[in-house]
Each structure stands twice: as structure tokens, then as C-alpha cells.
Amino acid sequence: MDKREITATQGGFQTALQKAQSIYLQSVAQSLNSNNIKFDAEQRACVYSAISKLNEIATADGLKMSDFDQSNITKVLSQVALLRLNTNAIPRECGFQIRKVYQNGVIIRKEFEFFVEGVGNDKLLRKYGEGVKSLDNAWKVRKGDGFTFPQFNVDGQVPPTWQPKSYSQPIERVVYRVIKTDGRDEWLISDREEVATNLKAHILNNARTADEETKQAIIDKIEDMTLEEMLKDKSLRVYKDKYGKDKTLISPSWIMPQSREAMIERKMMNNATKKYPKNFSNTFIREAFENTFEDYEQYREKPKLTSAEQVIETLKEQDGDDEITIDTPNAPQAPVDEAEQTETPKSTSGLTFEEWKAQKIKDGAKGEREEEEKEDDLPF
């Protein structure tokens, strides 16, 4: 091994990263300065750690920072700076994931997406919550614990009570005490079953590339399902999109034993704190806040599951997976990559969706679902 190879192996990575940090710090500073926002030392530290994390994620995916759209990197780093969230904090305040951007069923690029973790939401509520003096750490009430909800009478509010009895059972609800500037206490509570709304948004967002029949079948199936029912239903794992490719409906982080409970806990924390009114110092910080949440729309309006077209349109900006789809009208279908194919979900009747639709066409229904159809007829 010659000297150049030794240098590249031992020090090249660090030198490249340092150069990238210098370039991106300048880009973020220019972005903030153009909006009359001073780029201070705290923001610089947050962005510095975020660049290292982005590089780590890209490398793990076999990519380099230069493989990504540079305006996308500047955007997510500016979000980090505006919200002053640190990826090196423990527990983490924020994180990143890579999204695949599809066009006509083909991946055309990959982008970084920035999201806020549960404790990051706490930090933002403490800083920007309207009339908030302080926010206590969350109570994490587990199955079997003693718990009473707040009560109200003419003299005011009786606080909730909590008697922990286990530190290993699943968390059933999270409870925050908000201490207001006027001296009053307010309690923010979110329970486990409320997370079903998050998961439904996640499923429907991931189903955006399905044909209308498949979308409607998914909507009808999950409308009245509980959180646990959706997580246990193996037919809600994969669907075949309109380009003939198998796509994920529920991401592994929702299902795998090592991450499932952490995901549910984080969603409960998000649900409890995101609804609280916030007063941001300027429009750019408010927009950065809104754009970081994968399912922010559901906190402004909870859509009623009616038709596939309505729901998919409403949920375009909601709880996401790792895909964005850009469709071109009348474009030819992309070829199916056999290496990416997995088993198509079966219904209790043993039919795939395509088989079910073909049967309906054969019977004269032209693939349309009939009102008197039983749930077991669905291919999920």
C-alpha cells in the first residue's frame, strides 16, 4: 500500500467530512441571514452534529453526501438550525431518514427528511408553548398501573394520580403537567389507542401508489381496526402498486419487536404535545416546525375515511414511510424488478387483490365492490 492509499484510508474520510461541514455551515448561515435570522453558536453546534449524522446515514446506505440534492441538504439543516434541536442529545431530540423519490414506479433520487423525536417536542413546547412557564417530564403510565384522570368542579381542577406498579409492561398513556404563566396547571394526556390514527395515516400514505380499487379496499379494512389489530394483521404488510411492484404498507419500525414499543411511545408523546398552541417568533420557524412532522396535517384536521381519492389527497403530507411518488399522466408502466418481489398478501378466502378484481370483472361487476360484500371477501 503506497502513501496515498494510507492517507486515504486513515485520514481521507475525516478530511472530506470537515470540508463538507464547512461548506454546509456556510450554506445554512446564508439561508438564515437571507431571512434576517442570525446564525448563532447554539445553532452552529446543532448543524455541525446534524451534518455528521447525515453523513453517517448516507454511508450506511452506500451513498455519499454528494449523491443527494444539495438544496435538500441545506433545507433540512436549516430546519435543524431554526428549531435548535440536537441529534447528539440523549434521548435524541431529532433524527433523519432517507426517502426514495419515485416517478412512474422508478426511483429517480433519494432525499433526506428531518423529523422530531418525542423529547424534541417537549423542548419546543417549553420554548414556544403559549402561556407555558414550564413543562414537567412525562409520566409513562404502564399497563396495570393505578391511574385516575383529572377531575373538574366549580373550585377548579383535581389533578390526576399515578401509582406505578411495573417498569416492564407496555406503556398505555403519557401524561404531562404544563405549568402556566398565570399559575394554573394543565394536563396533557394521550393514550395508546390514539396512536391508531397515526398508524392509519402511515398506511394510507404508503398506499398512494395503489390503484383506486386497492386504496378503497385498504381504507375499508382499516377504518374500524384498533392499533393492535393493525399491527398483528400480516395482510397489512405489503401491497402491489399500480406499476406491479410490491410496496410496504407498514414500515418495519412499527412492527419489529426492538422498535415497536419505542415507536408507539414516541407517537403518544407527539400526540400529547403537538396539539398545544405554540407562538413562534417568526414565520420561518413556524414553517420549519410544520415541515418536520411526518403526520402534522392530522393535528389540524382529522379526515373521515370516505373514498380513496379524498383520503389519499388529504393524507399526502401525513405520516410517511420512506417514499415520495411523482406520477406523470399517461406514462408507461415501469418494469417489475423480480429481485424485489415478495409474496403478495392473501385474504382468508385465498385471493390476491388482482384475483379478486378479476373475479368481479368475470362476474359482471367490473372490479367494483358491492355494498353487500362481506369483509372476508377482501384480499387483505
Side-chain angles (χ1 to χ4, degrees):
M1 180 179 292
D2 64 24
K3 185 176 180 180
R4 287 177 297 176
E5 290 178 304
I6 294 173
T7 302
T9 302
Q10 295 182 344
F13 168 78
Q14 185 62 31
T15 300
L17 179 57
Q18 287 176 336
K19 289 181 179 179
Q21 286 171 328
S22 176
I23 293 170
Y24 291 129
L25 283 169
Q26 291 178 19
S27 296
V28 173
Q30 291 173 359
S31 176
L32 269 60
N33 290 336
S34 67
N35 292 312
N36 298 317
I37 299 174
K38 184 179 179 181
F39 189 43
D40 60 32
E42 179 188 10
Q43 291 172 315
R44 183 178 293 271
C46 290
V47 171
Y48 195 85
S49 62
I51 296 169
S52 297
K53 179 58 67 175
L54 290 177
N55 186 76
E56 177 185 322
I57 294 171
T59 302
D61 207 51
L63 300 168
K64 298 178 294 184
M65 297 281 276
S66 58
D67 294 328
F68 292 82
D69 181 85
Q70 298 305 294
S71 62
N72 165 245
I73 295 177
T74 300
K75 176 185 175 182
V76 298
L77 292 176
S78 296
Q79 290 175 312
V80 171
L82 288 166
L83 297 177
R84 300 173 183 271
L85 297 176
N86 189 352
T87 57
N88 288 337
I90 301 176
R92 287 194 310 171
E93 298 175 351
C94 58
F96 302 94
Q97 65 181 6
I98 295 176
R99 274 188 180 270
K100 305 181 189 75
V101 181
Y102 284 82
Q103 187 169 30
N104 304 322
V106 178
I107 299 174
I108 59 173
R109 66 177 180 274
K110 293 185 178 182
E111 294 181 348
F112 287 115
E113 184 177 65
F114 175 57
F115 60 89
V116 179
E117 298 278 15
V119 293
N121 290 329
D122 299 358
K123 182 176 181 178
L124 293 173
L125 179 55
R126 290 186 179 99
K127 184 175 181 62
Y128 297 110
E130 287 189 2
V132 173
K133 180 180 179 181
S134 63
L135 177 72
D136 287 351
N137 291 332
W139 293 355
K140 298 179 181 180
V141 183
R142 298 178 181 274
K143 183 178 180 179
D145 288 357
F147 180 76
T148 63
F149 282 89
Q151 300 179 35
F152 302 88
N153 54 42
V154 294
D155 296 322
Q157 179 180 206
V158 178
T161 63
W162 173 38
Q163 294 177 302
K165 296 182 179 180
S166 169
Y167 290 97
S168 59
Q169 291 295 315
I171 296 172
E172 290 196 326
R173 62 180 52 89
V174 296
V175 183
Y176 288 92
R177 182 176 73 143
V178 176
I179 302 173
K180 309 275 285 184
T181 52
D182 61 7
R184 295 182 296 112
D185 287 349
E186 185 170 343
W187 297 88
L188 308 180
I189 303 174
S190 177
D191 63 32
R192 189 181 185 91
E193 196 50 45
E194 189 179 358
V195 178
T197 301
N198 302 89
L199 183 53
K200 288 175 183 178
H202 174 80
I203 290 171
L204 293 173
N205 190 64
N206 288 347
R208 285 180 299 177
T209 58
D211 62 36
E212 291 304 312
E213 290 283 359
T214 303
K215 290 175 187 176
Q216 190 63 57
I218 294 170
I219 290 168
D220 292 343
K221 180 172 180 63
I222 69 174
E223 183 169 9
D224 297 319
M225 292 181 76
T226 66
L227 175 65
E228 298 302 325
E229 286 171 346
M230 287 185 285
L231 291 174
K232 291 178 181 178
D233 192 329
K234 293 184 178 180
S235 69
L236 287 175
R237 304 289 173 87
V238 179
Y239 75 97
K240 193 176 292 293
D241 72 4
K242 59 188 175 183
Y243 301 107
K245 288 195 173 184
D246 288 327
K247 293 291 185 66
T248 299
L249 265 183
I250 301 181
S251 299
S253 55
W254 280 94
I255 299 167
M256 300 301 289
Q258 67 271 24
S259 59
R260 169 177 161 166
E261 288 303 315
M263 171 68 79
I264 294 172
E265 177 185 338
R266 187 168 73 245
K267 292 298 182 183
M268 284 191 284
M269 295 173 71
N270 291 352
N271 291 341
T273 58
K274 285 204 291 189
K275 299 173 186 176
Y276 198 93
K278 297 174 180 66
N279 184 15
F280 294 99
S281 56
N282 62 53
T283 302
F284 304 108
I285 297 177
R286 176 181 60 78
E287 290 178 352
F289 170 77
E290 293 180 2
N291 292 336
T292 58
F293 292 116
E294 57 192 4
D295 52 1
Y296 183 78
E297 285 295 313
Q298 80 180 59
Y299 298 95
R300 294 196 284 195
E301 178 183 0
K302 291 186 178 180
K304 181 180 179 182
L305 302 183
T306 52
S307 70
E309 185 176 347
Q310 252 183 319
V311 174
I312 299 304
E313 181 65 27
T314 303
L315 296 176
K316 279 182 179 178
E317 298 180 11
Q318 285 193 9
D319 198 34
D321 188 22
D322 58 350
E323 300 177 2
I324 300 173
T325 302
I326 304 172
D327 285 330
T328 302
N330 303 320
Q333 291 189 353
V336 178
D337 185 351
E338 295 296 333
E340 294 183 2
Q341 298 302 304
T342 59
E343 185 180 356
T344 305
K346 302 286 184 180
S347 70
T348 54
S349 62
L351 295 178
T352 66
F353 182 81
E354 287 72 20
E355 291 167 342
W356 173 82
K357 185 163 63 175
Q359 184 63 47
K360 289 296 179 183
I361 294 173
K362 183 178 179 181
D363 294 341
K366 297 181 180 179
E368 295 180 358
R369 300 180 62 255
E370 301 172 350
E371 288 183 1
E372 63 270 20
E373 230 174 271
K374 295 182 181 179
E375 182 177 357
D376 285 347
D377 291 333
L378 290 173
F380 300 96

